[in-house]
Amino acid sequence: MKKKLLSTILAGTLLLSVLTGCGSDGNQGSTSSDTGNASGSTEEQSTQQESTNASESNDETGDNEGEASLRPETLDKITVVLFGEESPRMQELMENEFQQMFIDEINTEVELMYLPWTENGAGGKVDLMIASGQEFDACIVDPRWAASSYSKGYLQDLSEVIDTYLPDWHENVDPTAFDAYRFDGGVYAIPIGNKPTGGVYSTVCVRQDIMDAIDMDNISTLDDLTAYAQKAKEQYGLYATYELATAEYIIRGTSDRNLIPLCTGIWIDQDTKELVNFIESPEFEAAVKLYNDWYAQDLIPKDILTNTVTLPFQANMTSFMRGTCGTTLIENEPGLQSVVPEAKTAEYYIAPEKPIYKKSYENTAFQVPVTSTKADRVALFVNLLQKNTEMANLFAYGVEGTDYELIDGKVSKINTEELFYEWMIYNVKISTPTTAYTDEFMEVYKNWDDKALPALSFGFSIDYSNVQTEKAQIDSAWEELATPMLAGLKDYDSNIEELKAELKKAGWDTYIAEIQRQFDEFLANK
């Protein structure tokens, strides 16, 4: 019963992206300006009336005098890079209501530049744009990408704008969020969103409708996952997954140790505080042999390393993928239901008895490239997205009455086109949950991280400056030799010694020693 409840809750937890807001910090202030003395001169009355109009305008778009004063006097423009495709409704709103709100609130026009999701991450087009000096002012980024960009000198230190231009952000977001983006005393991105992150990627997201059809009520072991995958392939023609055997839910089920991934080839034992050479671990052997077996059963697709579909699970090509703190309802289900309307999703922990770890506060932030001169405007932009309930709902759901309506305090969507990413905007302090989530689920979700333990690596970022050559060679050897093993294409016994030898030749000893040094220093200063 407890496991069944967990799966129900996880299935609902969906929110990572969009879920639960509760508080409403967003009522606009009422006009309280003095309208002037009726007996004053016409000129005085005119001046006072102008002052009143300005004050009323500020009251309509700002909450207090301090915040209103942050609005720049001159109109400027910033270019923000997002990924995916701009929906027709998003384009319309960016030309009208959204754009007007940006101008009214922060006197800034916002231009969006969309790139394919395949360009998201280190080494993609965004990095090339910065290196070539192409002008843009902000782009979403995650901690690993930020660490890579920082080491290349691509990112701007935002310390000076953080205290001044994020007044509402500081009210609604935990400052711990900055920890993943701190390097050498500076802060190199502004996180957005406020959502539970305990156990992220440690759950497996499956098709609950298939679970029900095959009479399975729980998945708690890798044997359970294998049985589910076999039946899903037999009855629905779905492959198991396009993810590699390094998926955290896979490694979680391979041993009793509590391991958290750190970087290429290195995991951290949460109990002993040791860095684990992953290829020499029993977990690596177990994971590769599991995938070898799945590949032999035709559960792993032949094009696992050449597939170009960004989200095969949503495209109804696979029966499972990694979960995200129970946010599958928002992360995966909408896209999947556009292909299979009756599909339902749920998340399960492999080895549910093991601890849940919180590896980061939030995975998404806005970077500002060194080529931009508008860090203050970007900060104001991010602050606005997290200002209050009204703003969070506007940018995630659209215009009330046109794009959504409120039913018993919850959002019922009229428009289903994507606007600003819900998963990016969602903040448990201010966002309004949709009607898809029960009150019971929302209560559990808001307290989701209460049971999560901070991972040893929480807030730790690696500086690869001293091992750039070694890292490049190790990444190359890993891609060539380890990845085919982790995809199930090459067997463990025939390939492990060559992999070990090539990694050592690439500079493994120097690489792990440098990371160990930094990690020891990090732990000593915690």
Side-chain angles (χ1 to χ4, degrees), residues 142 287 348-349:
D142 60 44
Y348 294 88
Y349 275 108

Side-chain angles (χ1 to χ4, degrees), residues 89-145:
R89 180 55 177 156
M90 180 63 165
Q91 182 177 13
E92 184 179 6
L93 288 167
M94 283 300 297
E95 292 173 353
N96 297 288
E97 287 90 345
F98 284 1
Q99 201 62 252
Q100 191 60 54
M101 185 62 73
F102 291 133
I103 293 172
D104 289 345
E105 286 276 338
I106 60 175
N107 209 13
T108 303
E109 293 181 352
V110 178
E111 177 184 47
L112 299 182
M113 177 189 301
Y114 280 86
L115 298 176
W117 273 108
T118 51
E119 298 294 343
N120 179 47
K125 188 171 182 178
V126 174
D127 282 5
L128 294 176
M129 289 165 61
I130 298 174
S132 64
Q134 184 172 340
E135 293 185 3
F136 72 97
D137 302 293
C139 176
I140 60 172
V141 70
D142 60 44
R144 182 170 295 185
W145 182 7

Side-chain angles (χ1 to χ4, degrees), residues 241-244 291 300-307 486-487 489:
T241 184
Y242 272 89
E243 293 172 339
L244 299 179
Y291 265 55
I300 298 294
K302 300 295 187 292
D303 65 340
I304 184 172
L305 298 182
T306 58
N307 167 60
L486 292 164
L489 307 183

Side-chain angles (χ1 to χ4, degrees), residues 297-317:
Q297 296 182 54
D298 198 31
L299 296 178
I300 298 294
K302 300 295 187 292
D303 65 340
I304 184 172
L305 298 182
T306 58
N307 167 60
T308 58
V309 177
T310 305
L311 296 169
F313 180 80
Q314 291 189 20
N316 193 36
M317 297 166 62

Side-chain angles (χ1 to χ4, degrees), residues 9 12-15 19 437-445:
I9 291 173
T13 318
L14 97 184
L15 312 167
L19 269 172
Y437 316 117
T438 65
D439 292 339
E440 180 184 16
F441 164 73
M442 290 308 306
E443 202 53 41
V444 171
Y445 182 76

Side-chain angles (χ1 to χ4, degrees), residues 75-373:
L75 179 68
D76 205 342
K77 184 177 185 178
I78 61 173
T79 299
V80 177
V81 176
L82 298 177
F83 298 96
E85 294 184 3
E86 185 175 37
S87 68
R89 180 55 177 156
M90 180 63 165
Q91 182 177 13
E92 184 179 6
L93 288 167
M94 283 300 297
E95 292 173 353
N96 297 288
E97 287 90 345
F98 284 1
Q99 201 62 252
Q100 191 60 54
M101 185 62 73
F102 291 133
I103 293 172
D104 289 345
E105 286 276 338
I106 60 175
N107 209 13
T108 303
E109 293 181 352
V110 178
E111 177 184 47
L112 299 182
M113 177 189 301
Y114 280 86
L115 298 176
W117 273 108
T118 51
E119 298 294 343
N120 179 47
K125 188 171 182 178
V126 174
D127 282 5
L128 294 176
M129 289 165 61
I130 298 174
S132 64
Q134 184 172 340
E135 293 185 3
F136 72 97
D137 302 293
C139 176
I140 60 172
V141 70
D142 60 44
R144 182 170 295 185
W145 182 7
S148 171
S149 295
Y150 168 75
S151 69
K152 298 172 185 175
Y154 288 167
L155 302 186
Q156 214 174 120
D157 184 356
L158 303 175
S159 300
E160 292 186 6
V161 305
I162 285 170
D163 289 337
T164 303
Y165 296 101
L166 296 172
D168 304 290
W169 187 103
H170 286 291
E171 291 292 324
N172 297 321
V173 184
D174 191 325
T176 307
F178 285 124
D179 290 349
Y181 301 96
R182 294 185 190 278
F183 307 101
D184 293 335
V187 182
Y188 290 83
I190 302 174
I192 183 169
N194 188 354
K195 304 173 285 286
T197 57
V200 65
Y201 305 150
S202 294
T203 59
V204 58
C205 172
V206 303
R207 289 276 299 276
Q208 186 61 45
D209 56 310
I210 293 178
M211 290 276 289
D212 294 340
I214 62 178
D215 293 326
M216 283 190 74
D217 61 4
N218 188 42
I219 293 177
S220 62
T221 67
L222 292 178
D223 286 342
D224 291 340
L225 186 60
T226 298
Y228 163 79
Q230 290 169 336
K231 293 178 181 178
K233 180 68 187 299
E234 178 184 349
Q235 298 184 32
Y236 297 88
L238 299 176
Y239 286 108
T241 184
Y242 272 89
E243 293 172 339
L244 299 179
T246 42
E248 289 184 50
Y249 58 88
I250 297 293
I251 304 306
R252 183 179 172 90
T254 58
S255 79
D256 294 332
R257 291 200 292 184
N258 296 307
L259 302 183
I260 296 295
L262 179 61
C263 58
T264 304
I266 300 177
W267 290 55
I268 302 174
D269 187 319
Q270 298 300 299
D271 300 311
T272 66
K273 301 184 180 181
E274 296 175 326
L275 296 190
V276 175
N277 181 340
F278 187 51
I279 62 163
E280 295 185 352
S281 72
E283 290 83 5
F284 179 82
E285 179 178 358
V288 171
K289 288 185 174 180
L290 173 68
Y291 265 55
N292 290 158
D293 182 53
W294 283 357
Y295 188 81
Q297 296 182 54
D298 198 31
L299 296 178
I300 298 294
K302 300 295 187 292
D303 65 340
I304 184 172
L305 298 182
T306 58
N307 167 60
T308 58
V309 177
T310 305
L311 296 169
F313 180 80
Q314 291 189 20
N316 193 36
M317 297 166 62
T318 69
S319 61
F320 63 82
M321 67 175 291
R322 69 183 185 182
T324 50
C325 302
T327 62
T328 176
L329 293 183
I330 227 180
E331 296 274 310
N332 299 317
E333 200 164 285
L336 176 62
Q337 288 180 343
S338 68
V339 181
V340 186
E342 69 276 13
K344 298 293 182 182
T345 61
E347 294 183 42
Y348 294 88
Y349 275 108
I350 304 296
E353 72 280 359
K354 298 177 80 172
I356 298 168
Y357 291 97
K358 187 179 179 72
K359 300 186 292 294
S360 67
Y361 176 81
E362 178 51 56
N363 293 322
T364 303
F366 277 98
Q367 59 175 306
V368 179
V370 291
T371 50
S372 173
T373 60

